[in-house]
Amino acid sequence: MQLTTIKLDTERFTLRPLTSQDAEALFAIFSDADVMRYWNTPPWECLEDATQFIKQSHEDLTTQQAITLAIVSKSDEILIGKCLLFSWDKESRRAEIGFGIAKSHWGQGVIQEAGSALINYAFSTLQLRRIEAEIDPANIGSAKVLTKLGFTKEGHLRARWEIAGEVSDSALFGLLASDLQYKAKTNTQRSR
């Protein structure tokens, strides 16, 4: 399986590997303190942070350790965020999912649309059994989107992270391939 050429299309977006030309747009997004508010790292401080992230994402794709994809708007070809599968455990057939979207695109269904494509790819092509998400419990927006994507809240870890002296908990969400199959069957039965 060749991950370095992965390309997923949705109605409004193309998901593709990051390129060096994405560094400035990526830096503009992930240097924003509001975007990084609930991340487990502080905001990026310089363009080199974006360059190194892109380089690492290519290494991870090549070695099949993680999949990080740019979310690019089809209407204007502007990078508006990234989505990723990481902590990929091939033997257990599971990975974690994450997203980061430019503040100007919040509330527009980007994660719902891009996430559905990435989840479908993870279950159908990568044959994952389980996808996990870990978020700050205060991040209500992400919790709502995860629920819309079919995730179930499975747990709460107290004092899980400390970033820049601030301690925060984590809410754990999970989605099984069988959850989506069950939902698809239930929806098909209802529509008869």
Side-chain angles (χ1 to χ4, degrees), residues 10-191:
T10 71
E11 184 180 332
R12 298 181 295 162
F13 309 110
T14 297
L15 282 58
R16 55 142 175 92
L18 294 164
T19 69
S20 57
Q21 290 78 27
D22 296 325
E24 285 187 27
L26 211 57
F27 176 68
I29 295 167
F30 295 97
S31 61
D32 184 327
D34 289 337
V35 170
M36 299 298 283
R37 170 68 182 100
Y38 297 114
W39 283 65
N40 62 353
T41 58
W44 293 353
E45 295 181 357
C46 62
L47 189 59
E48 182 62 20
D49 292 337
T51 302
Q52 286 303 313
F53 182 87
I54 292 167
K55 181 180 175 188
Q56 184 63 53
S57 78
H58 278 278
E59 289 175 21
D60 291 344
L61 276 173
T62 302
T63 59
Q64 297 188 356
Q65 299 297 309
I67 299 171
T68 301
L69 301 174
I71 302 172
V72 180
S73 172
K74 286 182 174 178
S75 64
D76 54 16
E77 307 229 347
I78 291 177
L79 182 143
I80 60 166
K82 65 181 169 87
C83 57
L84 59 155
L85 291 170
F86 61 103
S87 298
W88 185 3
D89 185 328
K90 292 186 183 108
E91 189 174 309
S92 294
R93 295 176 37 218
R94 68 175 164 78
E96 287 187 56
I97 196 167
F99 303 93
I101 307 297
K103 191 167 40 178
S104 59
H105 287 80
W106 288 1
Q108 299 177 19
V110 175
I111 295 175
Q112 179 81 26
E113 189 173 327
S116 292
L118 185 57
I119 288 166
N120 183 53
Y121 179 81
F123 287 144
S124 64
T125 303
L126 301 179
Q127 296 294 300
L128 293 186
R129 178 185 46 79
R130 174 180 172 82
I131 300 174
E132 301 168 350
E134 178 182 347
I135 65 168
D136 187 312
N139 190 346
I140 305 299
S142 287
K144 286 180 182 176
V145 171
L146 288 170
T147 301
K148 285 180 184 176
L149 287 169
F151 284 78
T152 300
K153 185 176 179 186
E154 298 178 336
H156 186 100
L157 299 175
R158 298 175 298 147
R160 172 94 162 126
W161 295 99
E162 184 170 344
I163 295 96
E166 186 176 330
V167 176
S168 66
D169 295 353
S170 280
L172 302 179
F173 288 77
L175 177 65
L176 303 179
S178 58
D179 293 340
L180 294 183
Q181 292 164 356
Y182 172 77
K183 288 175 184 166
K185 282 182 190 175
T186 302
N187 288 338
T188 301
Q189 290 169 350
R190 284 185 191 147
S191 63

